[in-house]
Amino acid sequence: MDTILILLFFLLGLIFGSFFNVVGMRVPQRQPFTNDRSMCPQCTHQLKWYELIPVLSYILQHGKCRNCRENISLLYPSTELITGVLFAFCYIKNGLTPELATALLLMSLLVIILVSDIRYMLIPNKILLFFLPLFIIMRVIQPFEPWWSSITGGLAGVLILAAIILISRGGMGAGDMKLFGLLGIVLGLEKIFVVFFLSCVIGAVIGSGLLIFKVIDRKQPVPFGPHIVAAAVITYFNGDVLLNWYFNGLM
Ligand SMILES: [Zn+2]
């Protein structure tokens, strides 16, 4: 039974991932994402249902548009696959509890931001504002112990990033700051510090990796969002382990 549900959440994630691709691509460009049909960005060929199957269509078409043979960005199937895996892990961690809804919402936000930040170096306000009330409602229904950890977490998230933005002048923007505020509400006071620490470590490792292998040069800006997303995912699923490590290491 459990295996079936895990698989079900994986498949649900694939489908939602496909939708998050559209949201992450269109919302920053102020395009509607609800009424018009999906099409190839190169030749505007309208996609048939069998060209819209998450991951599978990409594999069957060898990563090319059926009409113009242009390469389809690897970002699309990657997003679908990532969402599938994350949704499955949300169920494995939480079972069928109210916290599962929070987890799924959090992963949805993170995937959409991943898409739009990689594509446009932008974290749209519209997306953040959509999730803010949902996260507040979920943390009222499922409060932390102590309950004010959400409020202080949100404030701490904003303040840490505001300080970094003032000190560093560039690198991180207002979008990153607002995202940290949201993450603080969902993850609480202690874990927002874990997210911050991890996103700096991930950013440093990936940033220097990209420089060493000359994928980018020193002047090229790198979106910081994906590092925050990775840090938030690790913290959500393993935050307690990391906190225990840290505190036991101090003793
Ligand atoms: Zn095409």
Side-chain angles (χ1 to χ4, degrees):
M1 193 58 206
D2 222 35
T3 326
I4 296 171
L5 275 171
I6 292 169
L7 199 68
L8 215 65
F9 275 97
F10 175 71
L11 292 175
L12 195 73
L14 290 183
I15 296 164
F16 270 89
S18 168
F19 173 61
F20 297 157
N21 267 324
V22 178
V23 177
M25 294 279 190
R26 291 191 188 175
V27 168
Q29 297 211 309
R30 298 177 194 282
Q31 288 172 357
F33 56 86
T34 40
N35 40 17
D36 56 344
R37 302 198 46 178
S38 298
M39 56 190 184
C40 166
Q42 310 292 337
C43 66
T44 68
H45 153 71
Q46 281 207 345
L47 302 181
K48 304 260 160 38
W49 67 267
Y50 53 80
E51 291 167 289
L52 287 166
I53 305 164
V55 185
L56 202 64
S57 293
Y58 183 87
I59 295 168
L60 291 176
Q61 294 167 212
H62 305 286
K64 289 176 173 26
C65 168
R66 286 172 69 94
N67 190 45
C68 65
R69 314 301 302 158
E70 203 59 56
N71 285 330
I72 301 167
S73 167
L74 196 61
L75 191 62
Y76 292 102
S78 313
T79 306
E80 290 158 357
L81 211 57
I82 289 169
T83 315
V85 171
L86 289 177
F87 273 30
F89 272 108
C90 286
Y91 170 71
I92 294 169
K93 181 182 166 73
N94 296 302
L96 294 174
T97 58
E99 180 64 22
L100 175 62
T102 311
L104 295 173
L105 282 173
L106 176 61
M107 296 310 141
S108 304
L109 167 73
L110 294 174
V111 172
I112 295 170
I113 282 171
L114 190 67
V115 173
S116 96
D117 208 28
I118 287 178
R119 193 67 199 235
Y120 306 108
M121 300 249 319
L122 202 78
I123 298 176
N125 278 330
K126 240 185 204 173
I127 302 294
L128 297 173
L129 282 173
F130 175 81
F131 282 94
L132 175 65
L134 298 175
F135 286 149
I136 293 174
I137 292 167
M138 290 318 292
R139 278 294 167 250
V140 169
I141 298 171
Q142 289 263 289
F144 284 120
E145 187 67 46
W147 62 269
W148 43 261
S149 183
S150 285
I151 300 169
T152 48
L155 288 174
V158 171
L159 289 177
I160 299 168
L161 266 271
I164 297 293
I165 291 169
L166 280 177
I167 296 165
S168 71
R169 289 167 182 270
M172 288 192 226
D176 298 313
M177 182 179 78
K178 291 173 225 165
L179 174 60
F180 255 82
L182 272 195
L183 292 176
I185 294 171
V186 185
L187 298 171
L189 182 60
E190 286 168 318
K191 286 184 189 162
I192 197 63
F193 287 99
V194 180
V195 176
F196 176 68
F197 174 71
L198 273 180
S199 55
C200 292
V201 172
I202 295 168
V205 170
I206 295 192
S208 44
L210 291 175
L211 280 174
I212 289 166
F213 294 104
K214 300 206 168 17
V215 181
I216 55 164
D217 62 56
R218 202 163 280 277
K219 290 190 188 94
Q220 198 173 336
V222 180
F224 200 74
H227 307 143
I228 303 174
V229 168
V233 168
I234 296 170
T235 305
Y236 184 78
F237 289 110
N238 279 304
D240 293 321
V241 179
L242 291 170
L243 275 174
N244 280 338
W245 254 10
Y246 182 73
F247 286 117
N248 290 334
L250 281 181
M251 303 284 187

